[in-house]
Amino acid sequence: MKDHEQLPVTAIKSARGVWLEDFDGNRYIDAISSWWVNLFGHCNPRINDALKQQLDTLEHVMLAGFTHETVIELSERLIALTPDRLQRCFYADNGSSAVEVALKMSFHYWHNLGLHNKKRFISLSNSYHGETLGALSMGNVKLYNDTYGPLMLDTITVKSPDCYYREAGESCHDYSVRIFSEMENALQQHADECCAVIVEPLIQCAGGMRMYDPIYLSMLREACDRYDVHLIADEVAVGFGRTGSLFACEQGSISPDFLCIGKGLTGGYLPLSATLTSEKIYSTFYDDYTNLTGFMHSHSYTGNALGCRAALATLDIFESDNVIENNKIKSAYMRQAVTELEDHPHIAEIRQHGMVLAMEMVKDRTTREAYDWKQRHGLEVYKHGLKNNVLLRPIGDVVYFVPPYIINNDEIDLMARIAIEGINIATAD
Ligand SMILES: *Cc1c(COP(=O)(O)O)cnc(C)c1O
């Protein structure tokens, strides 16, 4: 908050498409989709219309003993669109809660089978799974762990396949395969006490848009089956086309035991999340009441009708506009727009999976020596963006684009030019 003494908060008056407008009439391209939630632009006419209709029909009803048409339709469509194994949906209202649901359900599954030793989880270094205590315990971003560590669950951390650390000349594929041995060892050692492995498929977003190869997902799926440990895919950030496929798991040709989705689920309109799971897991909870095997978790706004309607309108757009295919052209254009940074002395790497592109600023390109974090080079890029009509919000020294899919080439050009200028200013010696 103290930063704002120098840098006032930007108050937004209205928004349309990729553009945000403040009270002084300044406009900003929302290059980060308002923290990765927006897919098809602000005030999208199609989502707006769907919501207006829903608003005059049913705004909300509790989802215990009651249900409604919108949530049923959404569940059916999500099951049809997600990998095979996923047959059942559980709703919450944010990504962290979707992760909590997956953790509790995985634990409870083994508990229902009488395997009471299984109570720990494996997660990757540099991962992020949300802010509530269970989800935070799965995360591995140092600042969070240093602060809230004493409150956290005892999670097993395995080295991330983050390809930033591959050897010179080594491919991401080969690095991801090589690093998998660490996961194999952890599973061998801890499978008896482990409920699940949780990962962010392909991109560790909050961890600085660090990326890895889909082969890791394939190997992980195979190993989780072999060791009888669940696989939780946290696609809260990467789901709904960000990595180039509708779900990132598709690129590893895998079905997780739990899939957590949120953020883009409603196109960036309303807080709604879901945890999808298999019929097999569902059925261990399905029993006579007096056997007390039921899953215990509820949120007041579970399955909110407005959220579900926004999600349906979002899925309609994916279907009718051939979004995944068209994004391939857009992501190639976005990559080409930052070509001149390839040999920049302070850019260690430009990396991309689909509609997520990241540029990592470093003190020395050859040694990859990082800047002292206290120098806040990313903040310089942010400020330059604000002065020049682009909302960029670097994570540390990583400048990235996660734009709404409706961004056009002119807007990509502007976004890229301002990012490049910002990087030049922030890294000038
Ligand atoms: C944002 C995020 C979450 C948490 O979602 P919230 O809606 O902010 O609670 C969980 N997992 C991942 C991978 C995320 O990026």
Side-chain angles (χ1 to χ4, degrees), residues 40-322:
F40 299 118
H42 295 274
C43 290
N44 182 293
R46 286 189 270 178
I47 304 176
N48 284 11
D49 284 348
L51 276 175
K52 284 172 192 163
Q53 279 185 26
Q54 183 67 47
L55 193 56
D56 283 332
T57 312
L58 173 70
E59 83 302 344
H60 180 72
V61 64
M62 69 172 180
L63 219 61
F66 283 69
T67 189
H68 57 85
E69 197 178 355
T70 316
V71 75
I72 293 171
E73 189 185 339
L74 179 60
S75 308
E76 287 174 352
R77 284 179 70 180
L78 288 175
I79 285 163
L81 288 168
T82 51
D84 283 353
R85 218 183 273 230
L86 305 165
Q87 296 293 325
R88 296 280 172 175
C89 290
F90 192 101
Y91 291 93
D93 43 28
N94 62 79
S96 309
S97 298
V99 170
E100 300 285 343
V101 167
L103 300 176
K104 283 174 66 181
M105 219 182 261
S106 175
F107 164 80
H108 201 161
Y109 167 90
W110 301 113
H111 183 85
N112 279 345
L113 294 186
L115 293 168
H116 301 300
N117 266 346
K118 280 189 177 278
K119 51 192 173 201
R120 296 181 78 191
F121 295 88
I122 296 177
S123 73
L124 297 174
S125 58
N126 193 46
S127 55
Y128 176 87
H129 295 288
E131 306 280 348
T132 53
L133 287 174
L136 200 63
S137 306
M138 300 302 125
N140 235 284
V141 176
K142 190 174 176 306
L143 178 64
Y144 289 68
N145 286 47
D146 287 354
T147 311
Y148 301 111
L151 301 180
M152 291 193 191
L153 298 173
D154 177 24
T155 303
I156 299 154
T157 305
V158 168
K159 189 173 174 177
S160 162
D162 173 0
C163 289
Y164 187 72
Y165 298 109
R166 69 192 182 278
E167 297 291 328
E170 189 177 26
S171 70
C172 283
H173 175 280
D174 291 353
Y175 183 73
S176 294
V177 170
R178 178 156 68 85
I179 293 304
F180 189 78
S181 63
E182 310 240 351
M183 180 62 79
E184 181 76 39
N185 291 343
L187 282 167
Q188 194 169 39
Q189 208 181 327
H190 298 290
D192 289 351
E193 51 170 346
C194 260
C195 305
V197 176
I198 181 167
V199 296
E200 295 160 271
L202 302 188
I203 313 180
Q204 298 190 301
C205 294
M209 299 295 165
R210 292 294 182 81
M211 302 180 183
Y212 59 91
D213 192 273
I215 186 70
Y216 193 87
L217 297 175
S218 318
M219 295 176 80
L220 182 58
R221 175 69 277 179
E222 186 276 325
C224 285
D225 283 340
R226 196 156 29 88
Y227 286 104
D228 230 1
V229 167
H230 290 144
L231 173 56
I232 303 173
D234 176 357
E235 294 219 22
V236 170
V238 296
F240 299 99
R242 293 291 184 199
T243 66
S245 46
L246 189 59
F247 295 100
C249 282
E250 294 168 25
Q251 294 185 47
S253 306
I254 63 153
S255 277
D257 300 287
F258 298 93
L259 176 72
C260 303
I261 51 179
K263 291 199 169 107
L265 172 60
T266 61
Y269 267 64
L270 287 157
L272 180 74
S273 67
T275 307
L276 282 80
T277 193
S278 66
E279 191 63 33
K280 180 181 171 194
I281 290 172
Y282 174 85
S283 65
T284 62
F285 294 88
Y286 191 83
D287 205 347
D288 293 331
Y289 178 81
T290 48
N291 286 335
L292 299 177
T293 54
F295 184 56
M296 289 170 283
H297 195 103
S298 61
H299 289 293
S300 311
Y301 283 102
T302 289
N304 174 262
L306 287 165
C308 291
R309 176 56 63 194
L312 284 171
T314 300
L315 294 180
D316 286 342
I317 297 175
F318 270 106
E319 231 172 73
S320 62
D321 291 14
N322 203 18

